[in-house]
Amino acid sequence: MRLNSQPPAGALFAGSSPFDPSSFDSIQGVYGVHHPKGDLQKYSEGDYLGTAACANSSCSSSTGSNAKFLAVRWNRGVTEGGSSGSGLFRRLNGKDYLVGQLWGGASSCIQPTGYDFYGRFDLPFNTALQRWLNAPSTTVRTTIYRFYNTRTGAHFYTSSMPERDLVITTLREYNYEGPAFFAFGAAAAGTSPVYRFYNTRTGAHFYTISEQERANVQATLPWYSYEGVAWYANTSQTGGATPMFRFYQTKVQTHFYTINASERDSIQQNLPIYTYEGIAYFSWTNL
């Protein structure tokens, strides 16, 4: 369903979560917002209990491809007839993300501990809805966020706010260092894709704008899992772009990237375990 006009003033938009239930804690607090029996809007709080398979008005615990639903048990509030289709939310880094839509269940005022089952929102989001709900701009740059992994000694970069919030909330070994630079989320004029890999041996990520290097990694380093395009940047210093400097950390065998020339100079002067590899590509220091 698509709105024909802007929603009323004061309307709030629900954040979209692309993450599957494997990113949830074993018992994760969730909440639902709904209109039971057409009543005024209500709010229910509870726990996520795991994934399930549902068919013919019944559900059972399940994993894998059959697990298209989320099982929830309320500890404050319930749902009733008329609540179906309402949203299930989880909180990440102080922000609320939609993770499911109510399919059915046994919860009611006379059975407050009955289970409810929500369709997994990540499935339709990743299959089709993200082209509208997460459409990046080709004219406005996006923020790239930086983390430091205290366990591996590597840095992690992401352009995704939901992924940023997921890492901040669930991965305590990652220290959030804030915005690092700016790039495009879609293929803007003159830009090229920056590819992202995950090194299954070290737990670190690798980023490259080079088509040749991407192909070589895929062909010769099978422990590097290809994760797709991370963002778009320039291969030359045009459009106000700034050099992105690349280092190789010989001790833990990971790469480090910085757009800050002062940080580059400090690393070269003080950290000999970092080998300077030159300019990786060109990005931006502002939106």
Side-chain angles (χ1 to χ4, degrees):
M1 183 175 66
R2 182 176 181 177
L3 298 179
N4 290 325
S5 60
Q6 291 295 318
L12 298 178
F13 292 89
S16 303
S17 173
F19 303 112
D20 65 51
S22 65
S23 67
F24 291 25
D25 295 335
S26 56
I27 297 295
Q28 173 86 37
V30 292
Y31 70 89
V33 179
H34 54 101
H35 294 268
K37 294 185 176 179
D39 199 354
L40 297 175
Q41 188 178 80
K42 296 296 189 293
Y43 173 88
S44 304
E45 293 180 334
D47 295 319
Y48 162 68
L49 302 179
T51 54
C54 299
N56 301 322
S57 301
S58 65
C59 299
S60 59
S61 178
S62 178
T63 58
S65 60
N66 291 325
K68 297 180 180 179
F69 295 84
L70 311 173
V72 174
R73 182 173 57 202
W74 305 115
N75 51 48
R76 181 184 179 190
V78 296
T79 59
E80 292 187 287
S83 299
S84 295
S86 60
L88 181 71
F89 296 84
R90 67 183 297 208
R91 178 158 288 185
L92 297 172
N93 190 33
K95 300 177 179 62
D96 301 301
Y97 291 96
L98 179 71
V99 296
Q101 57 282 344
L102 182 59
W103 178 78
S107 174
S108 69
C109 290
I110 61 174
Q111 193 175 354
T113 59
Y115 286 16
D116 273 343
F117 298 91
Y118 286 76
R120 286 173 48 183
F121 181 72
D122 66 291
L123 297 178
F125 179 89
N126 288 318
T127 300
L129 295 179
Q130 63 175 318
R131 63 182 291 193
W132 293 285
L133 299 180
N134 194 38
S137 173
T138 59
T139 59
V140 178
R141 292 189 283 269
T142 189
T143 305
I144 311 301
Y145 306 100
R146 180 172 123 177
F147 291 84
Y148 176 69
N149 188 329
T150 57
R151 180 178 59 85
T152 65
H155 284 79
F156 169 64
Y157 306 80
T158 179
S159 63
S160 166
M161 289 183 65
E163 185 172 47
R164 178 202 64 184
D165 293 337
L166 180 69
V167 172
I168 290 174
T169 303
T170 63
L171 300 178
R172 300 303 182 187
E173 69 271 24
Y174 281 76
N175 288 341
Y176 178 53
E177 296 185 338
F181 58 94
F182 301 89
F184 284 96
T191 63
S192 298
V194 175
Y195 305 103
R196 171 171 141 177
F197 290 86
Y198 176 69
N199 187 331
T200 57
R201 291 182 176 177
T202 65
H205 285 81
F206 171 65
Y207 308 82
T208 181
I209 202 171
S210 167
E211 291 281 356
Q212 181 178 356
E213 188 170 43
R214 174 195 59 79
N216 184 61
V217 170
Q218 288 182 294
T220 63
L221 303 176
W223 56 93
Y224 276 77
S225 175
Y226 178 57
E227 296 186 330
V229 176
W231 52 80
Y232 292 80
N234 284 357
T235 56
S236 61
Q237 196 166 6
T238 58
T242 299
M244 176 69 61
F245 308 107
R246 173 170 141 175
F247 290 85
Y248 181 65
Q249 217 271 43
T250 55
K251 182 178 181 180
V252 294
Q253 300 181 347
T254 62
H255 286 84
F256 171 67
Y257 312 83
T258 180
I259 203 170
N260 187 317
S262 296
E263 187 174 41
R264 176 205 59 189
D265 295 342
S266 177
I267 291 172
Q268 288 182 297
Q269 294 167 12
N270 303 304
L271 298 175
I273 61 173
Y274 282 83
T275 300
Y276 180 56
E277 296 187 334
I279 296 174
Y281 53 86
F282 296 84
S283 197
W284 294 268
T285 58
N286 56 62
L287 290 172

